[in-house]
Amino acid sequence: MVKYVYNFSEGDKDMKDLLGGKGANLAEMTKLGLPVPPGFTISTDACREYLKRGEVPAELATEVTKNLRKVEDEIGRRLGEPTGPLLMSVRSGAKFSMPGMMETVLNIGLNDQSVVGLAEFASDERFAWDSYRRLIQMFGKTVMHIEGDGFSDALDKLKEDRGVHYDHELSAEDLKGLVATFKEIFKAETGRDFPQDPREQLDMGIEAVFQSWNTERAKIYRRRERISESLGTAVNVQTMVFGNMGETSGTGVCFTRDPSTGHSGVYGDYLMNAQGEDVVAGIRNTEPLSTLGDHDPKSYQELLGIMRKLETHYQDLCDIEFTIERGKLWMLQTRVGKRTAAAAFRVATQLVDEKLITMDEALTRVTGAQLTQLMFPQFDDKAPKELLTRAMAASPGAAVGEIVFNNDDAEAAARAGRKCILVRRETNPEDLPGMVAAEGILTARGGKTSHAAVVARGMGKTCICGAEALRVDAEEKTLAVGDRILKAGDIIAIDGTTGEVFAGDVPVVDSVVTTYLAHGLEAGLEAAGADEQMADLVNSVHRLLTHADAVRTMKVRANADTPEDSERAIEFGAEGIGLCRTEHMFLGDRRVLIERVILAEEGSADRQAGFDALEELQKGDFLQMLRVLDAKPMTVRLIDPPLHEFLPDLTSLEVKVAVAKAVEGKADPADEKMLEAVRRMHESNPMLGLRGVRLGIYLPGLFDLQIRALTQAAAELKKEGLDPRPEIMVPLVGSIRELAIIRHNAEQIIAEEAAKAGVELDIHVGCMIELPRAAMTAEDLAQEADFFSFGTNDLTQTVWGFSRDDVEGVFIPKYIEEAVFGVSPFETIDQHGVGRVVREGVERARSTKPDIKLGVCGEHGGDPESIHFFHEVGLNYVSCSPFRVPIARLEAGRAAVLAD
Amino acid sequence: MVKYVYNFSEGDKDMKDLLGGKGANLAEMTKLGLPVPPGFTISTDACREYLKRGEVPAELATEVTKNLRKVEDEIGRRLGEPTGPLLMSVRSGAKFSMPGMMETVLNIGLNDQSVVGLAEFASDERFAWDSYRRLIQMFGKTVMHIEGDGFSDALDKLKEDRGVHYDHELSAEDLKGLVATFKEIFKAETGRDFPQDPREQLDMGIEAVFQSWNTERAKIYRRRERISESLGTAVNVQTMVFGNMGETSGTGVCFTRDPSTGHSGVYGDYLMNAQGEDVVAGIRNTEPLSTLGDHDPKSYQELLGIMRKLETHYQDLCDIEFTIERGKLWMLQTRVGKRTAAAAFRVATQLVDEKLITMDEALTRVTGAQLTQLMFPQFDDKAPKELLTRAMAASPGAAVGEIVFNNDDAEAAARAGRKCILVRRETNPEDLPGMVAAEGILTARGGKTSHAAVVARGMGKTCICGAEALRVDAEEKTLAVGDRILKAGDIIAIDGTTGEVFAGDVPVVDSVVTTYLAHGLEAGLEAAGADEQMADLVNSVHRLLTHADAVRTMKVRANADTPEDSERAIEFGAEGIGLCRTEHMFLGDRRVLIERVILAEEGSADRQAGFDALEELQKGDFLQMLRVLDAKPMTVRLIDPPLHEFLPDLTSLEVKVAVAKAVEGKADPADEKMLEAVRRMHESNPMLGLRGVRLGIYLPGLFDLQIRALTQAAAELKKEGLDPRPEIMVPLVGSIRELAIIRHNAEQIIAEEAAKAGVELDIHVGCMIELPRAAMTAEDLAQEADFFSFGTNDLTQTVWGFSRDDVEGVFIPKYIEEAVFGVSPFETIDQHGVGRVVREGVERARSTKPDIKLGVCGEHGGDPESIHFFHEVGLNYVSCSPFRVPIARLEAGRAAVLAD
């Protein structure tokens, strides 16, 4: 027989699927013998059954009765009985927290009789009638779906009539009258009287919570947070306790350690003679937890004991809600507490030092995202700052600049070399140029998945969203907060990590964590100086990162095209270069050479002269890079983009020539010749055109010069006694024959150059897997490849059939809003689609060559969630931008621990 | 123990893997008791073993000895013995024919002694010494790899010295001298004497054939023809027989039916006192086979009997080579004979009528490619024609037009409405504009996979390639054949089915087969008129196509966007429309409406007005289409291209505005406004941009108007009593949520309109599978789809990561040359890559919804090889252009028969 209802004494913290997060933790505390107000949880099974049938399963009523009687017997009072009634709360509680999305009904059990009983029991008539009017209001709105402001209008009118300002200034008599008014509103709106039967109130409350699973806002929330529709919510029915029964009552929130700094020792807030909702509403200021020690030492000591017990039990920092009702301490909720990035690292190592957890476990308590936050420069703590407002921290960083309100001003500022912050009510695709030009973006509307947020994260720009306190007038070019008015050109500073907006310039300081990562422990500690907290943080990061390095199975390489980037990458702990793009070596002064190659005829002396000059220059580049890398591997990708990208833009040149002809009757012959070439080479979809290996096959000699330059550089260094380890990577391969052609050429060149130099060279040849066909036929390609590197940027583009340039700022935010994506597939790998292609590629490759070296060099290589996926599918390494190397090291370590 | 050698009496025709095609058929004839010169076949196993080891397996020598002795005993003579020597031929013979790619050595067994014996035995000294000099020459070239023209120079010099013109004018004494000269050349080139040991000659000949498997030209041929490298060749060692031993000897080629017309009754050529190579060399004209009847009635009757026996045995038209040596008939080779398209259809039904094969078998004897040939208009057989030359039939059709030699002339002719034929020595990507403008393409160089051939087939243009007799002078604009010189502007006619090039205009007649297909059997027979052969052809096609319809499991639909195309498709036998593209309905006069929609603001009255006008027009389109279709399904694809495709081109508009500003100081404000919109909407890769379902989600109302127009049209026709069956197809879907959003909208609109009209409408909603992600997550999409249609054009583009526009004329020919493709993946589906994605999509879709209707509407839907693949993976229908519907019907029937 199915069981729908669990007394708190029957569950535990691991039953979140069935009891939801809140219910499971209430059960856990009950099991630990802590003072939890008695109650029971109706399981998610019951909710799912209700949603399926469209009605409450009959068995549920009987189970509720049994459990309710048990609670009544335990307390010794009955639900809603006329004297000393038992009151109950009914709250939702899903597996994953969905704050504010579903319904709650408090004070169930009050009716025209029991309100009198409650007044006597609590010796507080005002309290009883206020509770009753709250029940009618909450029940009317959440259970009976009464819309509009009828209840609050009536309350406001009463206060006006009485000439008072606050609710608590109303008398018991006032509230009695208000209850009568509320009951009239209830009847008028619903066509029935407010239910006097306590059990009917309870049953209707439970059903209302079930229904609230399927409200539109809950559905939208789940889509965005990628929470499955099929989970359903549990319902917690719990005895009410009151922190507002006088001076010996109160309520508070506490943490077993400081969640903000990670400082050890308890931390919390307390409010005497108040309910939890008063704390949330912020009507009165809370006091530090320690005041409870002065006020009610017994409860305080009991609470400290419970906190220690909970932390020992959960082996982590706990976040706790409690209420004291007339000197009796009750635990209302606990969970593992949220914390700042710095706190996460410090707490994790503290717990290790206290021998509560192992280093492996400690690794699971910190994340790459937290490490990222710690690496950004931050506003100087000590500098004076004028806080304007605080809003959604949408993309981290600290940005300072003059206020601009539109694209033109942003671009003008950027051109003039002035930093600016783009301020908009909200952004849309037309604001892209301004976003590109600005240091940071600040919007008054929209959340973490708004256009501004998604695009800014994609660009790596600092961004704060949904700063509702701001009044943005783009026409007048003003930005107002309260009475404070700023104009275009005024300086503001935004902190994308905390969501704080400051007026005026704020000095930015480097992160001590970044100093440590770049220059080692000693340098980090020196930078921390006398700040113990900072020094502790540096030590914590060092210990956790060192442990991650020890346990991870994936290597971490960097994407770097210059000796400077390579040096930085190695400082940050990169074990090699996973992607050295060579097209960057054709830019600048050298562009003229590649132009010459393009314009010359195939087989002509002019083309060969261009090739020769490029070969010499590339050899120089490779010599520098390989010297930096020495015994570390360096994967060189042969030139990838279509050649016309090195020529002038078609439209500009057409305009130039046409205007010259119209005005002067003729155009510069050099321009005309160039135009002809540009027209001939124009492609309608360059991403899908003549590039990568296609170009290598189509234009004989191009890849050869690169291979020769690399081989000669390696040979030269080998003779010097260094240990160069270049690897040749062929881009955009789709079929084995393409790879075979290039590999064959490469092997010949390597053999020739090795013989010429009299050294042995073992240069691996492999390819990118960035086309679906490459992954789908990887068992073939593996025959000709020593390694594969998944190019997940291009793979995302081809698997989805969209080009990042064209869609990222345009419809990716729209798609996130419409819940097609939870996150941009360019930020985190789309495991369900692109990931399947990667997985298939890995399996096929290993089926031919079990030992083939497999890596990834798309931007996903530095994304925490993606790194876990790459670990799971069995890649040998990830390669990412130098700055992300420490994050990848940490996450690769975490992945290894978590996968076990 | 492994067996390497098979006497002809040991094999049969099904052993092609082991014995090669020639060897298997020789064995089959031997088994049938036909007079085959004795011999044996060395298996492909031996070749593979040789290629692996790099030397002839020792066991092979002993097996050759045993088999050679058996042949010697059977004949009663010994290989190369001094008197009456046995001579042997050594020929390659792979599983798949590779004509001219590998080596042959004839007359093995001749040496300084046996040549005298042969002279006596044959009573012909001249013949014996000529055979000996041929052996030395052939052996020197093919076995010893002697390069250069030493042998033929010596022969030419001898003829010059003797003052004669032909080889046969040389005397026996002359030839004796020539043998001495050849032996000197042999020694000088190889450093050794010509081997006198017959067995050494044989062993070296066998090894040379093995080696010839791996010559560069053989490898290239195999890559192009997609023949596996690992097969290896068999070697046939056979007793030589001589058709050149006087008047009672001769040689011939015959067919059991006419391979050109399909006329029943034997057909062939005979040449008295000649060897097969003389027939091939074309030195003398052959006579009809029947002359053999007059000359040697016994052999003739025996041959007729054998032909009947072979046809009965092979149950098909056979192609036979025979030799008569001094009145004794020998069978040298047989195989199922190649035939013209018309012959294929006629012979297939003849064989059915003769009860030699079933209709199912008959279907396997004809192909869609043959039916395609029969459907093209043809040059009038009866019209006088001046044949210039005959070359490679690279792309079928009959094209007439003036000669042009470059793009400019081709485009000028096309603009003036004159038809032209582009004539080039060879084509390359720069000739694309000319190819587009021309009716047909004629090149002097290149084969079936040359740039011209590949691109022409892709465009559906008539093309003849490799017409080496032509001298093309593009500078002078002349085209010469022998003495005949044509100039630019002269008319030529090219037949892409036969490869014939004619000077002057040739009238084109419609195909009777097409008349039949479009208008039925009666009309076809009427068009054939008194031509019995044509009438027979029409009947044959009708019977085979009717049978194909009866046995096929896949439906055939057509891609059609207009009522006219739909009518044509239904005439050709389409069972519905599989793809009706709606963007075509926005062109012409209506472009202004879509411009209005694009330029208007979201939610504005102007935009709505544009939508309303478009809705009305689309409704009209759909009414017409649905009326034509009536009870047949019609799949309507919602608008797919990016909207900026409806706006003016960016570059032209930039030039227009810039020039106006430069010249007149200002531009037309309307142009400026449009330019702003065009700039805003410009995409760097439009194929991967805001199109398809993305556009539908991004621009609310656009898809809705189309769905509403279609639904209203269907409702209206339903009320008229018709049976409209529209289906809504969403393009470019990559994720379930995209489809769910559109489906949800569609269902609402359908319900509204059905209620309004008071009819029931059951309109299916499905989507294209044209992105890898759609196929990889088809088990999700299937939850929201009633059907899928694989868009294999786009799928090919995204799986390979190339855009057809950008690569087809540019590097696909290069890739075919480099053997990356065997055929363009846009012509025939790339089964190994794209096909895997399709197969995965099918399997995933059926895993969720076993009955989901699956089809294909890419151009591959009309390609024979691809159709077989689609049958194999289990699609329910293919949809192709109207003209290809009959081909698809035939091939779908063949696929059903062949798959059993």
Side-chain angles (χ1 to χ4, degrees), chain B residues 236-251:
Chain B
N236 297 294
V237 179
Q238 191 175 21
T239 310
M240 292 285 296
V241 291
F242 297 94
N244 53 350
M245 282 199 181
E247 300 292 294
T248 57
S249 301
T251 192

Side-chain angles (χ1 to χ4, degrees), chain A residues 324-530:
Chain A
I324 298 173
E325 186 184 274
R326 293 183 174 160
K328 162 73 182 153
L329 174 67
W330 292 103
M331 306 306 295
L332 297 188
Q333 179 157 334
T334 192
R335 60 187 170 193
V336 168
K338 294 209 162 73
R339 65 206 74 180
T340 64
F345 278 84
R346 293 183 66 199
V347 167
T349 51
Q350 276 164 25
L351 293 174
V352 171
D353 293 340
E354 294 167 22
K355 306 225 165 16
L356 259 177
I357 61 175
T358 63
M359 276 303 280
D360 273 3
E361 283 163 336
L363 257 193
T364 69
R365 304 290 173 84
V366 294
T367 67
Q370 289 164 337
L371 182 57
T372 308
Q373 284 187 16
L374 295 175
M375 288 174 71
F376 277 103
Q378 287 162 350
F379 288 128
D380 186 351
D381 256 1
K382 288 141 206 129
K385 291 188 274 286
E386 181 194 347
L387 182 68
L388 287 174
T389 185
R390 192 191 298 265
M392 194 91 62
S395 179
V400 184
E402 61 182 58
I403 299 174
V404 294
F405 291 95
N406 59 45
N407 292 343
D408 289 348
D409 292 352
E411 289 180 319
R415 271 196 305 273
R418 300 193 314 270
K419 294 180 174 177
C420 65
I421 308 288
L422 180 67
V423 180
R424 302 283 300 165
R425 206 162 301 168
E426 61 210 329
T427 66
N428 64 43
E430 299 189 8
D431 297 315
L432 274 179
M435 297 176 76
V436 171
E439 290 292 300
I441 297 108
L442 169 63
T443 70
R445 298 209 193 129
K448 283 213 168 189
T449 61
S450 65
H451 180 268
V454 172
V455 176
R457 278 200 299 277
M459 292 178 177
K461 302 249 175 197
T462 302
C463 177
I464 294 179
C465 284
E468 312 231 342
L470 301 183
R471 298 191 306 283
V472 177
D473 189 332
E475 290 295 307
E476 294 295 320
K477 299 194 179 178
T478 60
L479 168 66
V481 195
D483 303 334
R484 184 88 159 84
I485 296 181
L486 293 102
K487 300 187 303 301
D490 289 350
I491 302 293
I492 55 171
I494 61 176
D495 186 332
T497 311
T498 63
E500 289 165 318
V501 182
F502 304 106
D505 195 4
V506 179
V508 171
V509 290
D510 282 344
S511 144
V512 292
V513 170
T514 301
T515 306
Y516 150 67
L517 291 170
H519 306 296
L521 185 58
E522 213 166 311
L525 292 173
E526 193 179 320

Side-chain angles (χ1 to χ4, degrees), chain A residues 28-101:
Chain A
E28 188 74 15
M29 287 198 292
T30 304
K31 211 178 66 172
L32 286 174
L34 304 186
V36 175
F40 51 88
T41 304
I42 299 167
S43 76
T44 54
D45 279 346
C47 177
R48 283 191 292 268
E49 195 59 29
Y50 171 80
L51 294 172
K52 206 169 86 185
R53 293 196 206 170
E55 59 177 21
V56 176
E59 308 90 312
L60 181 60
T62 62
E63 285 196 59
V64 166
T65 305
K66 282 196 291 183
N67 278 277
L68 180 60
R69 288 196 174 185
K70 198 169 162 196
V71 171
E72 288 174 337
D73 293 349
E74 203 177 334
I75 300 278
R77 305 205 304 268
R78 303 238 174 123
L79 179 67
E81 69 184 342
T83 53
L86 171 67
L87 303 187
M88 304 209 81
S89 62
V90 175
R91 295 177 205 256
S92 64
K95 179 177 180 187
F96 301 106
S97 172
M98 293 171 57
M101 289 299 136

Side-chain angles (χ1 to χ4, degrees), chain A residues 254-256 265-268 289-290 292-293 296-312 320 322 329 331:
Chain A
C254 59
F255 299 86
T256 56
V266 301
Y267 176 91
L289 189 63
S290 54
L292 178 62
D296 182 353
K298 186 184 128 286
S299 293
Y300 183 62
Q301 286 308 321
E302 188 183 354
L303 180 62
L304 290 184
I306 288 173
M307 286 169 83
R308 186 175 157 85
K309 195 167 188 176
L310 281 174
E311 189 174 85
T312 306
I320 296 159
F322 66 93
L329 174 67
M331 306 306 295

Side-chain angles (χ1 to χ4, degrees), chain A residues 827-879:
Chain A
E827 257 182 73
T828 296
I829 193 162
D830 156 37
Q831 287 188 31
H832 194 58
V834 180
R836 280 184 176 175
V837 178
V838 171
R839 195 184 293 272
E840 182 142 345
V842 169
E843 283 164 8
R844 287 184 180 276
R846 294 244 161 87
S847 75
T848 304
K849 205 175 260 184
D851 293 336
I852 191 168
K853 188 169 51 182
L854 303 176
V856 61
C857 64
E859 280 171 48
H860 297 119
D863 170 69
E865 192 178 325
S866 309
I867 290 170
H868 288 250
F869 173 75
F870 297 135
H871 176 86
E872 190 214 319
V873 299
L875 297 194
N876 303 100
Y877 69 88
V878 296
S879 186

